[in-house]
């Protein structure tokens, strides 16, 4: 390899390493705005937006906006007035996207309905009323889908016990449906049986799942909260499987 080619490769590598790096202005905004957000607040990133001279402030799963001098803080969504496009929602959807294939499906239950070609993963708490309604209505009406359920116990200690009993049942899917659809509790888990509670809890926290149900799709997008069958069908139809 010639010296000139080596130099070009090095320059290319340096340029790639700079992509996505904070500019001095963005770094200064981060330094100024973080202490103003309250005790314990952490700014994940600052990014200049292409509209109105605003800078995007990412903190957790939220997006706020500020100006170049970090004097003002704007809480809310930015819309394109001409098209009614919700720019903030699109950005939140973008940063919330996951890689579905990275989900540890071995710690989820699996139900295949019809041909099972369409795939969703749902985080649910056994004591979540909205989750039960989602099971009793939406999922009951949907066909040709594979449903992975992560028992995400965030509502009470009792949720952990219920999920363990279901996980340790001879037929987990039946035990889950018995409870979620008919309020029939699973028998106590056998001695020595363990559940993946800690792993699922850590996963949900990593993915910033703050409530149940939370639905993830094959393209990595998500919908927080229960939706009806019509909305779920429309969402599934929009995804290239």
């Amino acid at each position: 390899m010639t010296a000139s080619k080596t130099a070009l490769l090095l320059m290319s590598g340096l340029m790639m390493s700079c992509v996505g790096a904070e500019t001095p202005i963005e770094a200064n905004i981060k330094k100024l705005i973080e202490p103003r957000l309250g005790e314990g607040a952490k700014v994940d990133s600052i990014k200049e937006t292409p509209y109105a001279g605003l800078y995007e402030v990412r903190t957790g799963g939220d997006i706020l906006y500020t100006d170049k001098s970090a004097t003002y803080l704007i809480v809310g969504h930015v819309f394109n007035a001409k098209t009614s496009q919700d720019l903030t929602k699109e950005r939140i959807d973008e940063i919330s996207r996951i890689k579905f294939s990275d989900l540890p499906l071995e710690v989820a239950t699996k139900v295949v309905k019809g041909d099972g070609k369409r795939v969703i993963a749902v985080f649910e708490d056994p004591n979540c009323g909205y989750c039960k309604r989602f099971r009793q209505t939406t999922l009951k009406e949907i066909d040709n889908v594979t449903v992975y359920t992560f028992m995400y116990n965030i509502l009470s200690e009792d949720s952990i016990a219920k999920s363990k009993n279901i996980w340790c049942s001879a037929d987990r899917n039946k035990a889950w449906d018995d409870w979620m659809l008919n309020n029939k509790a699973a028998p106590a888990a056998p001695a020595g049986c363990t559940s993946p509670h800690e792993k699922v809890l850590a996963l949900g926290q990593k993915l910033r799942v703050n409530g149940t149900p939370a639905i993830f799709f094959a393209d990595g997008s998500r919908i927080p909260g229960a939706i009806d069958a019509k909305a779920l069908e429309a969402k599934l139809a929009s995804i290239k499987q």
Side-chain angles (χ1 to χ4, degrees):
M1 184 181 292
T2 66
S4 59
K5 286 185 178 180
T6 302
L8 283 171
L9 285 172
L10 286 172
M11 287 176 64
S12 194
L14 286 171
M15 288 174 68
M16 288 295 291
S17 69
C18 291
V19 173
E22 276 187 344
T23 66
I25 292 175
E26 290 166 347
N28 187 56
I29 291 173
K30 183 176 182 179
K31 180 182 177 181
L32 292 172
I33 204 73
E34 196 166 61
R36 298 173 186 173
L37 295 179
E39 186 177 352
K42 183 180 183 301
V43 172
D44 297 316
S45 69
I46 300 289
K47 179 182 177 182
E48 185 177 10
T49 73
Y51 33 85
L54 295 176
Y55 285 79
E56 173 192 288
V57 181
R58 275 185 58 191
T59 172
D62 297 323
I63 288 180
L64 311 173
Y65 299 97
T66 190
D67 61 299
K68 187 176 182 179
S69 62
T71 302
Y72 302 100
L73 185 66
I74 301 170
V75 180
H77 284 218
V78 174
F79 289 82
N80 183 317
K82 292 182 179 179
T83 65
S84 298
Q85 182 182 6
D86 187 337
L87 301 172
T88 304
K89 182 182 182 301
E90 289 186 0
R91 180 67 177 138
I92 290 173
D93 289 346
E94 179 188 338
I95 64 175
S96 298
R97 197 172 294 273
I98 68 164
K99 190 175 180 182
F100 196 93
S101 60
D102 285 347
L103 290 174
L105 300 179
E106 71 277 3
V107 295
T109 64
K110 177 183 179 182
V111 172
V112 179
K113 301 184 69 177
D115 61 27
K117 288 182 179 179
R118 305 180 298 181
V119 182
I120 62 173
V122 189
F123 283 71
E124 297 181 273
D125 185 298
N127 286 318
C128 165
Y130 290 107
C131 300
K132 290 184 177 182
R133 192 180 308 167
F134 180 67
R135 289 267 159 185
Q136 294 162 0
T137 56
T138 303
L139 287 186
K140 187 177 180 181
E141 298 173 31
I142 295 291
D143 200 11
N144 298 326
V145 63
T146 297
V147 182
Y148 292 97
T149 301
F150 290 91
M151 299 180 202
Y152 188 49
N153 310 304
I154 57 174
L155 295 181
S156 69
E157 288 291 325
D158 179 60
S159 298
I160 301 173
K162 282 189 172 78
S163 289
K164 180 179 179 180
N165 293 340
I166 291 168
W167 183 263
C168 293
S169 296
D171 187 335
R172 293 168 183 164
N173 291 326
K174 182 179 184 303
W176 183 253
D177 280 348
D178 280 347
W179 171 248
M180 299 299 278
L181 302 180
N182 305 311
N183 225 34
K184 179 183 176 183
C193 181
T194 59
S195 75
H197 163 68
E198 294 294 339
K199 187 170 184 177
V200 174
L201 184 63
L203 173 66
Q205 291 171 343
K206 178 183 177 182
L207 299 179
R208 298 193 179 103
V209 176
N210 299 317
T212 54
I215 313 162
F216 289 84
F217 298 88
D219 66 350
S221 62
R222 73 175 78 187
I223 292 179
I227 56 175
D228 60 25
K230 184 178 180 181
L232 182 56
E233 277 288 1
K235 174 64 178 178
L236 288 169
S238 71
I239 298 171
K240 294 180 180 180
Q241 299 292 330

